[in-house]
Amino acid sequence: ASAPALTIGQPIANALVRTNVTISGTCENGLGIQLFGSGLQSPGTDTCASGAFSASVSLTSGDGNKIIQVSQTDSAGNTTSLSRTVIRD
């Protein structure tokens, strides 16, 4: 079996953002989404509905690069993990 099909559509890489950003993309329907990374104030989760996810996340304080990671694991334990860097300004 292959790992879940997961993509990040928004925000684009190195997007200039404020304190919160909505991260969205496509995912494997019916599987949970994990949101984490050094750029987030706290980890979060989202649900993949109709092959898509969208979640608002709060970034850590201070300007600069913030890394947001998104992952999805199927019932067989296959995991897809992606990361997106945004710039808090």
Side-chain angles (χ1 to χ4, degrees):
S2 60
L6 181 64
T7 67
I8 298 173
Q10 293 292 329
I12 61 169
N14 301 312
L16 293 177
V17 297
R18 298 277 180 202
T19 56
N20 298 308
V21 64
T22 297
I23 186 161
S24 61
T26 62
C27 48
E28 196 82 25
N29 207 33
L31 299 176
I33 303 281
Q34 287 72 46
L35 303 154
F36 54 101
S38 61
L40 299 188
Q41 283 185 4
S42 60
T45 59
D46 198 40
T47 304
C48 184
S50 302
F53 74 95
S54 179
S56 178
V57 295
S58 296
L59 301 175
T60 55
S61 61
D63 289 348
N65 289 355
K66 305 293 179 180
I67 298 170
I68 304 168
Q69 293 178 276
V70 180
S71 73
Q72 195 173 38
T73 303
D74 65 17
S75 58
N78 300 306
T79 299
T80 300
S81 292
L82 303 171
S83 71
R84 177 64 41 99
T85 300
V86 295
I87 302 168
R88 180 172 169 169
D89 186 24

